[in-house]
Amino acid sequence: MNKQTLIETHNRIKPFIHKTPVLSSSLINEMVGTEVVFKCENFQRMGAFKMRGASNAILSLSEEERQRGVVTHSSGNFAQAVSLAAKKLGVKAYIVMPENAPQVKKDAVKTYEGEIIECESTPQAREAAAHKIKEEKGASFLHPSNQDEVIYGNSTAAIEFLEVHPELDIILTPVGGGGLIAGTALAANYFSTKCIVIGGEPMEVDDAYRSLISGKIETNDSFNTVADGLRTHLGNRNFPIIKEHVEKIIRVEEGEIINAMQIIWERMKIIVEPSCAVPFAAVLKHKEEFKNKNVGIILSGGNVDVKNLPF
């Protein structure tokens, strides 16, 4: 893996993704006391950065593998991303979803012609169901965050960000499964001489924060966070990258996440999901640390149930 790999990845997926806009708000800059720019992956196809990794993972398969289809387990954005990317490439997508996944997410997968296989809402049940399809259909398994091709695809958001704002000192992303922050860290490492990467994580699911301290992958006992996209833990492909290239992870409380989300909705007039607001909440919480720095935040997605907002 080198810089060239990431350049090739970006060129490969360009026809399948949007080059999302970068927005800012002078009111937010005043509030924080520094320049903050937002890379708006909520405007990505299917509404989240996951389209980047999913597209690259499917494009990296051989023709023969594509014929047999792909399978993933996801209750949300990656399910939609795989379904849409597969549809665009004429590949069959099998999506294992927990039976309690929101109906709006199931409907979105169906819109993109993904075939849903429901299972119990435990990680074990998800993996077993996905493994069964892999065996029966010969489908290639795609992991939402712990697969090299997915991580490289995710890196392209930060590559585009740094193309527009090469002066960035810091890029922040949310941390869930680790696929976005790992990709972002690789991009910052190869496409900037000075930009560091910081993660934002809910206090309730602070496994990545603890993993960086202990040096091994930690898990969560609680999943009680409004940031539903961040309830997963790191994997063996992304954790080494995070350990090597991520500066640190800042934890935020639930109230801080909701407040940050509301500010983005109100001030920037854009729809973001709670997970997106976590890195912005980290900046608001530690304004001193970010003062006089050029700060970039990746807004990871905008797939939110508007009938069930936390504010």
Side-chain angles (χ1 to χ4, degrees), residues 143-148 150-152 154 175-186 197 201 206-219 232-249:
H143 196 284
S145 55
N146 193 46
Q147 182 178 337
D148 293 354
V150 171
I151 294 166
Y152 301 160
N154 293 343
V175 190
L180 177 60
I181 196 166
T184 302
L186 288 176
V197 173
E201 192 170 42
D206 67 346
D207 55 294
Y209 173 85
R210 287 181 283 112
S211 300
L212 275 189
I213 292 168
S214 72
K216 63 183 204 299
I217 297 171
E218 303 287 347
T219 53
T232 44
H233 51 80
L234 306 178
N236 64 337
R237 299 307 300 166
N238 58 48
F239 181 51
I241 300 168
I242 294 166
K243 212 159 51 168
E244 187 176 349
H245 296 296
V246 171
E247 186 76 9
K248 64 166 160 183
I249 291 171

Side-chain angles (χ1 to χ4, degrees), residues 5-308:
T5 309
L6 299 187
I7 293 169
E8 285 165 10
T9 296
H10 197 200
N11 289 335
R12 185 184 302 127
I13 69 172
K14 272 178 186 170
F16 299 92
I17 59 167
H18 292 320
K19 186 172 186 179
T20 52
V22 175
L23 302 179
S24 62
S25 152
S26 48
L27 275 165
I28 284 178
N29 289 347
E30 279 172 36
M31 199 181 282
V32 178
T34 194
E35 295 284 317
V36 184
V37 283
F38 296 89
K39 174 74 168 157
C40 297
E41 287 293 292
N42 52 317
F43 292 126
Q44 188 50 264
R45 278 182 156 158
M46 52 65 54
F49 76 93
K50 300 269 187 187
M51 189 64 186
R52 296 173 182 271
S55 301
N56 191 49
I58 298 174
L59 287 162
S60 301
L61 296 172
S62 70
E63 199 46 55
E64 192 192 341
E65 286 169 323
R66 289 188 211 177
Q67 295 289 321
R68 294 198 297 265
V70 292
V71 58
T72 191
H73 55 72
S74 162
S75 59
N77 287 340
F78 197 68
Q80 294 173 52
V82 168
S83 303
L84 179 56
K87 182 185 175 186
K88 296 264 176 221
L89 287 158
V91 173
K92 174 80 179 162
Y94 302 97
I95 313 291
V96 174
M97 296 184 89
E99 54 204 359
N100 63 354
Q103 192 57 45
V104 31
K105 294 194 170 172
K106 289 179 186 172
D107 293 345
V109 169
K110 285 177 186 154
T111 306
Y112 301 137
E113 296 171 19
E115 184 180 317
I116 298 173
I117 295 90
E118 293 199 3
C119 68
E120 284 177 58
S121 68
T122 66
Q124 294 81 359
R126 281 184 185 201
E127 278 164 28
H131 184 71
K132 188 169 175 239
I133 292 158
K134 191 178 163 202
E135 293 298 304
E136 284 175 7
K137 313 276 188 190
S140 297
F141 177 68
L142 307 181
H143 196 284
S145 55
N146 193 46
Q147 182 178 337
D148 293 354
E149 293 78 11
V150 171
I151 294 166
Y152 301 160
N154 293 343
S155 76
T156 59
I159 292 171
E160 290 175 7
F161 209 171
L162 287 163
E163 277 172 4
V164 184
H165 286 281
E167 77 287 353
L168 287 176
D169 298 306
I170 301 165
I171 296 179
L172 294 101
T173 81
V175 190
L180 177 60
I181 196 166
T184 302
L186 288 176
N189 181 54
Y190 288 116
F191 293 86
S192 170
T193 51
K194 60 168 187 167
C195 183
I196 63 166
V197 173
I198 293 177
E201 192 170 42
M203 200 71 83
E204 286 287 324
V205 289
D206 67 346
D207 55 294
Y209 173 85
R210 287 181 283 112
S211 300
L212 275 189
I213 292 168
S214 72
K216 63 183 204 299
I217 297 171
E218 303 287 347
T219 53
N220 296 307
D221 297 325
S222 152
F223 297 97
N224 185 23
T225 177
V226 68
D228 56 282
L230 308 183
R231 291 174 184 154
T232 44
H233 51 80
L234 306 178
N236 64 337
R237 299 307 300 166
N238 58 48
F239 181 51
I241 300 168
I242 294 166
K243 212 159 51 168
E244 187 176 349
H245 296 296
V246 171
E247 186 76 9
K248 64 166 160 183
I249 291 171
I250 296 172
R251 298 178 297 172
V252 289
E253 303 284 357
E254 292 299 295
E256 293 168 330
I257 298 169
I258 294 164
N259 175 53
M261 179 178 171
Q262 190 166 357
I263 291 169
I264 293 171
W265 278 58
E266 287 177 354
R267 300 296 179 204
M268 298 184 68
K269 315 288 184 257
I270 59 175
I271 291 176
V272 296
E273 58 193 82
S275 304
C276 268
V278 173
F280 179 47
V283 172
L284 286 173
K285 186 174 189 166
H286 296 277
K287 289 179 194 169
E288 279 308 307
E289 190 177 324
F290 297 98
K291 230 181 186 44
N292 304 322
K293 297 268 199 290
N294 294 309
V295 179
I297 294 175
I298 296 181
L299 293 176
S300 49
N303 293 330
V304 64
D305 182 355
V306 289
K307 293 194 192 72
N308 190 20

